[in-house]
Amino acid sequence: AVVSTQSTGERDFALFAEVVMRDSSEMHACCLDSYPPIAYLSQTSHQLMGMVHRFNSAGGMRAGYTFDAGPNAFLFTTAAHTADLRSWVEREFADRVSEVIECRVGSGPLVQIDIGEDKL
């Protein structure tokens, strides 16, 4: 989406998080609106969305979420809020979340040169 590209280019985390969460919700709403309906999100998925909104209401837009084609959540935040978000997740979902995997931004794309099979 254009807004998402704009938000990442300008490093506007609040705009980025809002656009990604709205996009995720719209995609899952389309799935529910299909016939027969497809329901990927679980009760825990909905509770996690609520937790992220409570987390943000307690201190501004500090986190966002999206879901794959299933109930698996992908949360994102800035480095400044990672520990706080992790503690919220671990506290509120201790009985349901088996593992929190933290990913960080990598070094960026690598350039590979195709030398062709005839040169091998």
Side-chain angles (χ1 to χ4, degrees):
V2 174
V3 177
S4 209
T5 303
Q6 175 187 352
S7 68
T8 55
E10 296 175 6
R11 303 185 72 75
D12 183 342
F13 180 81
L15 179 60
F16 173 76
E18 180 180 345
V19 168
V20 172
M21 289 187 289
R22 285 180 181 269
D23 186 61
S24 176
S25 294
E26 287 174 10
M27 191 275 295
H28 285 282
C30 286
C31 291
L32 283 172
D33 194 39
S34 66
Y35 185 82
I38 304 165
Y40 287 117
L41 301 179
S42 67
Q43 181 179 1
T44 300
S45 303
H46 290 283
Q47 290 169 343
L48 196 134
M49 291 188 307
M51 186 222 63
V52 169
H53 290 290
R54 287 191 309 281
F55 180 79
N56 288 336
S57 69
M61 186 69 79
R62 300 177 293 157
Y65 58 79
T66 189
F67 292 83
D68 60 8
N72 305 311
F74 296 87
L75 304 181
F76 47 92
T77 189
T78 61
H81 303 293
T82 300
D84 198 18
L85 180 60
R86 176 186 279 274
S87 70
W88 273 63
V89 171
E90 290 173 345
R91 180 181 67 243
E92 293 202 22
F93 296 94
D95 60 331
R96 289 172 277 176
V97 174
S98 60
E99 183 177 14
V100 176
I101 300 171
E102 185 178 325
C103 300
R104 298 175 185 267
V105 175
S107 60
L110 300 175
V111 177
Q112 294 183 336
I113 300 171
D114 183 4
I115 60 172
E117 289 182 27
D118 60 322
K119 309 235 179 190
L120 291 176

